[in-house]
Amino acid sequence: MIRIVKTKEKSKKQQMLLRLAAFVLALCAGGLFLLVLGNNPFAIYGTILSGAFRSKMAIQATIKIMIPLLIASLGVMLAFKMKFWNIGGEGQLIMGGVFASYFALFHADWPGFILFPVMFIAGIIGGGIWALIPAFFKVKFGTNETLFTLMLNYIALYLVSWLQEDPWRDPAANGFPKIASFDKSAVLPKLFGVQIGWVIALILVAILFVYLRYTKQGYEISVVGESRATATYAGMNVQKIILRTMFLSGAVAGIAGMVQVTGSDRTLTTGVAGGVGFTAIIVAWLAQLNPVSSLIIAFLFSVLEKGSSVVQSQFGLSTDCADVLQGIILFFVLGCEFFIRYKFVRDKKQSAAEGGK
């Protein structure tokens, strides 16, 4: 009796009002959840905001959370733009960290002006190769890129487990499976109290904005995303475009991994990604695949993440409760995107038939 139909394209104002309504509903639903737990919703929400900005150190922590999230979202954005469903940002980030970690661990004696560019390039190559694998199998054998990229996440994760168990295990860890902390010479410098990964992230936002909007390759990505048949008819080499774009997608995610291990973690662990690759998908989608918008969305996500950690300690809420609260907010915001493009309607034929009976 009820079916889903696509609506006419809504104006910018209508889309903004829908998103605002979704945000208000999310706050109401989250507030109801907090009330059931016996907490004051206004106090909790106020703490989330103040927790992310209450001190210089808190602001720095918020920016630190945002750095890998923003860079990873820019990476998956490239693939999504041509409708290649790259769910492997997590693995590509990890592999970028692995490749960069090799030089941080075994070549820390190199001069900084050589070491840092080499680690940066290594991160690009590690993430790019990891994304190129499913792209190659897609164009050659028509494999499902969603499942392929997803499975590669776990291979990358277990590769790190193997490295810390045996080849790269810290001899000074007394048998504990961990990789040694990087030497100071292999750690990214800080600017305004935060590792310079935030500068790299802002530069990438500008580069990708120009690349996607004003370059020939950016145009080709859009055409392939709209219709591969049209791209082929226009004389574009679709296979080449897919391979090139997926390498770039993974390369950007690999930069996130390099920045994370050499700037924030200062070592390589199985928690190097920490779910960032999956959250980046949501950020890219909410940003409408726009690099500038992803900067804003990633910042808001970081505020929510940092503020939630303060709520946990200040109000005694468990980690699970904070995650549920974040999930409720995301559910409504993502649900809003559905109603921007689709609506529910009653099937008139079915209703008339039932009325005749």
Side-chain angles (χ1 to χ4, degrees):
M1 292 184 63
I2 298 177
R3 57 194 178 93
I4 300 172
V5 297
K6 198 166 186 177
T7 61
K8 293 187 295 184
E9 186 175 352
K10 291 182 171 57
S11 66
K12 296 280 187 181
K13 183 179 179 181
Q14 289 174 320
Q15 292 182 26
M16 188 179 297
L17 288 174
L18 266 174
R19 292 188 174 111
L20 180 60
F23 182 69
V24 172
L25 285 172
L27 292 179
C28 293
L32 183 61
F33 169 71
L34 293 170
L35 277 174
V36 171
L37 295 178
N39 294 285
N40 184 340
F42 296 102
I44 297 289
Y45 288 140
T47 303
I48 288 176
L49 288 176
S50 64
F53 304 105
R54 62 181 176 178
S55 66
K56 183 179 178 180
M57 188 176 294
I59 295 173
Q60 291 172 351
T62 303
I63 300 300
K64 187 177 174 181
I65 293 170
M66 183 186 76
I67 293 170
L69 180 59
L70 173 57
I71 299 177
S73 70
L74 295 173
V76 297
M77 185 180 297
L78 282 166
F80 288 174
K81 198 77 175 179
M82 64 174 182
K83 289 186 172 59
F84 190 104
W85 308 119
N86 178 15
I87 315 299
E90 189 95 349
Q92 292 145 27
L93 186 156
I94 292 173
M95 291 307 295
V98 170
F99 274 54
S101 293
Y102 170 78
F103 293 96
L105 288 168
F106 303 108
H107 298 286
D109 56 331
W110 287 3
F113 68 91
I114 294 177
L115 180 59
F116 287 115
V118 168
M119 289 193 299
F120 188 83
I121 294 170
I124 289 174
I125 294 173
I129 290 175
W130 212 243
L132 200 56
I133 295 171
F136 172 80
F137 279 89
K138 174 68 176 181
V139 299
K140 290 297 182 182
F141 307 108
T143 55
N144 185 303
E145 72 268 23
T146 303
L147 293 176
F148 208 132
T149 53
L150 181 63
M151 292 301 101
L152 284 176
N153 290 334
Y154 299 101
I155 296 175
L157 180 63
Y158 288 120
L159 175 62
V160 175
S161 296
W162 173 69
L163 288 172
Q164 66 182 17
E165 286 277 355
D166 187 26
W168 292 0
R169 178 187 285 187
D170 182 6
N174 297 320
F176 186 76
K178 68 180 289 291
I179 295 171
S181 297
F182 297 162
D183 189 89
K184 289 183 179 179
S185 61
V187 174
L188 287 179
K190 292 184 177 181
L191 185 61
F192 301 120
V194 185
Q195 52 110 336
I196 62 168
W198 66 271
V199 177
I200 296 173
L202 292 178
I203 292 173
L204 286 172
V205 168
I207 290 174
L208 288 185
F209 178 79
V210 173
Y211 178 77
L212 289 172
R213 181 163 293 194
Y214 298 109
T215 68
K216 177 187 175 183
Q217 292 185 4
Y219 174 72
E220 288 175 342
I221 291 172
S222 298
V223 174
V224 171
E226 289 298 323
S227 171
R228 293 184 185 181
T230 302
T232 302
Y233 182 76
M236 297 180 185
N237 188 331
V238 174
Q239 291 190 358
K240 180 181 176 181
I241 293 169
I242 291 174
L243 291 171
R244 179 185 66 210
T245 305
M246 271 302 288
F247 179 84
L248 292 175
S249 177
V252 175
I255 293 173
M258 175 269 175
V259 166
Q260 188 67 11
V261 297
T262 61
S264 298
D265 296 347
R266 303 185 179 189
T267 187
L268 177 66
T269 69
T270 52
V272 58
V276 166
F278 295 113
T279 309
I281 295 171
I282 302 174
V283 172
W285 199 254
L286 289 178
Q288 301 292 297
L289 307 183
N290 183 307
V292 177
S293 298
S294 68
L295 173 61
I296 300 170
I297 302 297
F299 177 71
L300 293 176
F301 266 69
S302 304
V303 169
L304 181 60
E305 181 71 24
K306 173 57 181 170
S308 296
S309 67
V310 176
V311 167
Q312 291 173 30
S313 59
Q314 190 166 321
F315 289 87
L317 285 177
S318 71
T319 306
D320 294 333
C321 290
D323 289 341
V324 169
L325 180 59
Q326 293 181 48
I328 290 172
I329 295 173
L330 288 177
F331 175 79
F332 278 90
V333 173
L334 290 172
C336 155
E337 299 302 312
F338 173 85
F339 289 103
I340 287 176
R341 297 174 178 82
Y342 303 94
K343 65 179 180 179
F344 292 109
V345 297
R346 291 192 65 188
D347 193 325
K348 294 181 179 179
K349 292 182 179 179
Q350 181 71 18
S351 300
E354 291 183 356
K357 292 178 181 179

